[in-house]
Amino acid sequence: MVDYKTKTDAELVALTLNDQEVFLYLVNRYEAKLLRYIRRITSLSMECSEDILQEVFIKIYRNLNDFDQGLSFSSWVYRITHNEALNHLKKANNQKTVSLETDDKDTLSLIDVLQAETNIPKELDKKELQRKVRKIVSMLSPDFREILILRYLEEKDYKEISDILKKPMGTVATLVNRAKAQFKQIAEKNNLIYLPS
Amino acid sequence: MILKKIREQKITPIPRWRFVALHVLLFIALVVSIALGAMAFGLILRTIGDVDWEIVGRAGKGPVRGFFLILPYIWFAFLGVVLYLSEKLFSITKTGYRYKSYMFVLLSIALSLIIGSILYFAGAAHFVENKLADSVRPYAKWLEKNEQMLVAPDEGTLAGMIISVNKEKELMIVDFMQHKWIVDISNAIYKKDFKPQVGRPVGAIGEKTGENTFRADKIMPWRPNNPPPIFKDMQIPPPLPLPPLPLKTDGTLPMD
């Protein structure tokens, strides 16, 4: 009896090409992560996000023969998810600034990270800070919002982000820095958070 | 649910050969675009490589202006378009996105320079230009116009084809605008091992002395390695009647 749960992603891909049923193990492995990622970058309802997720998995299945082991499977599926989610947003004409649909855990993670990078005062009320950080992040340009989500919420390293967004690693590093700079700028400009110099 | 949908819609993975074919096509398109860039550069060299810069400077009323006068902008524009396309093609290859655009553009320019130079020195650029001129009439017209820009007798430059030679004292030439000239070469300096010969393209620097007369101070072969296509279409018209040689004081001809 083959224990598919212990197989690597690449092994499961190879097995799926011979037996469709094995694809279920890949779906189970990634559906929660990808659904959360879709919700983070699109801010759509659960129902819409699930529809996108379904399209993503169908696309992954159809393109399995294009999976190149020079890339990690995780980066590859995230790339497909990213493109599919953005295509959906373009069709729905939803590219304007959207409020970031994150749970409190997400916002707290962001705060922890940004607190270290932007000198957000620690004594601010947590709830109030969460509200303000959510507002600031929603005001970031889509590229910067996306990079912060990948870096700090999805916890991807620069190589993975480079593979997902198909940008050079140097560009990814620059985008992360600029995203943080824009965050700081918006925070100060809108008096949302006082950042001591 | 996803598996159910895959079964219901009979979705199957796209066969591997289609992805391989796509990547091969992309690679071929990339190589072709680099080759076109190299050819464009070869044609640029063809235009500016064989020309006499003294003539260019005189015709353009200055070396800098002359240089910009002669530049083949059409090929620079083509090179720019091809570089842009090849950069876009490279960025969609499997690993192309990992490199910054400017690195690939610099590499493409370097490849165009090296391969283009090889094509130029091998004569391939000249061959391609002749073929283009034969098959694309507007391109032939554009080439003609470029050569005609260097015919500026009032500025002291002339270029055309030799139609008769008179004892290395005079030439008759028909310029690129089909005007005939009698060119006094008796005191001219011969540049680049020039040999006056009927049917040869020639350039001259000097002074216009009359409606169809020119005194040459310097004379040189015109694009000796790669004559422009315009020469193929030029008919050698009958020469102008030569003016009579002045008689000596005793009434005899100078050669007697």
Side-chain angles (χ1 to χ4, degrees), chain A residues 89-182:
Chain A
L89 276 182
K90 273 183 203 166
K91 280 180 198 168
N93 212 15
N94 271 342
Q95 277 237 302
K96 295 177 206 150
T97 309
V98 292
S99 60
L100 182 67
E101 276 297 323
T102 58
D103 53 28
D104 287 348
K105 191 171 158 236
D106 277 354
T107 323
L108 288 171
S109 304
L110 260 176
I111 290 170
D112 279 340
V113 168
L114 292 168
Q115 220 154 21
E117 313 260 0
T118 56
N119 298 320
I120 296 174
K122 287 181 168 58
E123 57 272 14
L124 273 183
D125 175 61
K126 266 296 194 249
K127 278 280 176 213
E128 178 63 11
L129 186 57
Q130 275 178 333
R131 188 187 66 79
K132 288 184 176 182
V133 164
R134 242 191 230 123
K135 187 170 179 185
I136 296 168
V137 173
S138 72
M139 289 166 81
L140 290 171
S141 66
D143 285 350
F144 290 159
R145 188 167 61 245
E146 185 176 74
I147 207 95
L148 284 184
I149 289 169
L150 280 169
R151 181 81 184 98
Y152 297 115
L153 298 183
E154 299 295 328
E155 294 177 328
K156 298 294 178 191
D157 61 34
Y158 283 11
K159 166 113 182 36
E160 286 170 312
I161 298 175
S162 163
D163 290 335
I164 292 166
L165 298 182
K166 291 189 93 172
K167 290 184 195 305
M169 274 209 290
T171 305
V172 169
T174 304
L175 280 171
V176 170
N177 289 334
R178 283 187 191 165
K180 288 189 289 194
Q182 196 184 68

Side-chain angles (χ1 to χ4, degrees), chain B residues 105-118:
Chain B
V105 170
L106 283 174
L107 178 67
S108 286
I109 290 172
L111 281 172
S112 294
L113 279 163
I114 294 165
I115 301 170
S117 303
I118 293 169

Side-chain angles (χ1 to χ4, degrees), chain B residues 132-149:
Chain B
L132 269 174
D134 284 343
S135 42
V136 183
R137 194 70 203 135
Y139 182 70
K141 282 277 175 207
W142 177 77
L143 282 178
E144 251 177 61
K145 207 174 153 198
N146 275 358
E147 296 298 312
Q148 285 165 358
M149 277 195 299

Side-chain angles (χ1 to χ4, degrees), chain A:
Chain A
M1 184 73 178
V2 182
D3 185 5
Y4 292 109
K5 288 182 183 169
T6 59
K7 297 282 180 193
T8 63
D9 291 342
E11 285 168 340
L12 285 176
V13 168
L15 289 165
T16 302
L17 289 167
N18 290 322
D19 180 0
Q20 201 181 65
E21 302 296 323
V22 178
F23 189 58
L24 199 57
Y25 290 90
L26 283 168
V27 172
N28 289 341
R29 208 175 267 190
Y30 282 96
E31 68 179 332
K33 282 187 226 184
L34 295 182
L35 182 63
R36 198 171 51 232
Y37 178 56
I38 291 167
R39 293 207 73 208
R40 279 172 178 161
I41 59 172
T42 63
S43 305
L44 291 170
S45 64
M46 185 60 96
E47 200 186 329
C48 284
S49 301
E50 281 171 350
D51 286 343
I52 297 173
L53 182 68
Q54 196 169 76
E55 288 307 311
V56 164
F57 276 116
I58 288 170
K59 206 162 194 175
I60 289 169
Y61 183 72
R62 291 194 77 229
N63 289 281
L64 277 178
N65 277 313
D66 195 31
F67 168 60
D68 174 9
Q69 294 205 29
L71 193 66
S72 76
F73 184 76
S74 167
S75 298
W76 187 65
V77 301
Y78 264 85
R79 184 193 288 174
I80 292 173
T81 310
H82 170 263
N83 293 340
E84 199 61 28
L86 289 191
N87 285 344
H88 186 91
L89 276 182
K90 273 183 203 166
K91 280 180 198 168
N93 212 15
N94 271 342
Q95 277 237 302
K96 295 177 206 150
T97 309
V98 292
S99 60
L100 182 67
E101 276 297 323
T102 58
D103 53 28
D104 287 348
K105 191 171 158 236
D106 277 354
T107 323
L108 288 171
S109 304
L110 260 176
I111 290 170
D112 279 340
V113 168
L114 292 168
Q115 220 154 21
E117 313 260 0
T118 56
N119 298 320
I120 296 174
K122 287 181 168 58
E123 57 272 14
L124 273 183
D125 175 61
K126 266 296 194 249
K127 278 280 176 213
E128 178 63 11
L129 186 57
Q130 275 178 333
R131 188 187 66 79
K132 288 184 176 182
V133 164
R134 242 191 230 123
K135 187 170 179 185
I136 296 168
V137 173
S138 72
M139 289 166 81
L140 290 171
S141 66
D143 285 350
F144 290 159
R145 188 167 61 245
E146 185 176 74
I147 207 95
L148 284 184
I149 289 169
L150 280 169
R151 181 81 184 98
Y152 297 115
L153 298 183
E154 299 295 328
E155 294 177 328
K156 298 294 178 191
D157 61 34
Y158 283 11
K159 166 113 182 36
E160 286 170 312
I161 298 175
S162 163
D163 290 335
I164 292 166
L165 298 182
K166 291 189 93 172
K167 290 184 195 305
M169 274 209 290
T171 305
V172 169
T174 304
L175 280 171
V176 170
N177 289 334
R178 283 187 191 165
K180 288 189 289 194
Q182 196 184 68
F183 176 93
K184 195 172 170 183
Q185 200 182 35
I186 293 171
E188 288 173 341
K189 196 175 169 187
N190 292 278
N191 296 317
L192 291 169
I193 296 170
Y194 171 65
L195 297 163
S197 52

Side-chain angles (χ1 to χ4, degrees), chain B residues 147-159:
Chain B
E147 296 298 312
Q148 285 165 358
M149 277 195 299
L150 299 171
V151 178
D154 293 329
E155 305 304 324
T157 65
L158 204 55

Side-chain angles (χ1 to χ4, degrees), chain B residues 78-99:
Chain B
F78 183 79
L79 183 60
V81 166
V82 162
L83 279 173
Y84 173 79
L85 278 173
S86 59
E87 192 275 325
K88 287 293 159 214
L89 285 169
F90 182 71
S91 71
I92 62 174
T93 57
K94 284 211 166 196
T95 52
Y97 67 87
R98 291 177 188 169
Y99 306 96

Side-chain angles (χ1 to χ4, degrees), chain B residues 153-228:
Chain B
D154 293 329
E155 305 304 324
T157 65
L158 204 55
M161 192 195 297
I162 300 173
I163 55 173
S164 77
V165 181
N166 178 20
K167 291 184 190 301
E168 297 196 9
K169 286 180 188 294
E170 270 176 359
L171 295 177
M172 269 187 216
I173 71 169
V174 58
D175 70 19
F176 299 135
M177 318 258 227
Q178 301 294 321
H179 294 146
K180 290 170 221 160
W181 295 88
I182 297 169
V183 182
D184 175 5
I185 60 167
S186 50
N187 294 310
I189 298 166
Y190 287 16
K191 283 175 83 174
K192 293 180 191 170
D193 299 324
F194 175 70
K195 282 183 178 62
Q197 208 175 330
V198 172
R200 283 192 83 172
V202 65
I205 295 170
E207 193 185 338
K208 182 178 168 184
T209 52
E211 199 53 45
N212 58 359
T213 55
F214 192 89
R215 189 199 73 245
D217 299 325
K218 288 178 189 169
I219 196 150
M220 69 286 289
W222 186 251
R223 296 193 190 274
N225 300 319
N226 296 303

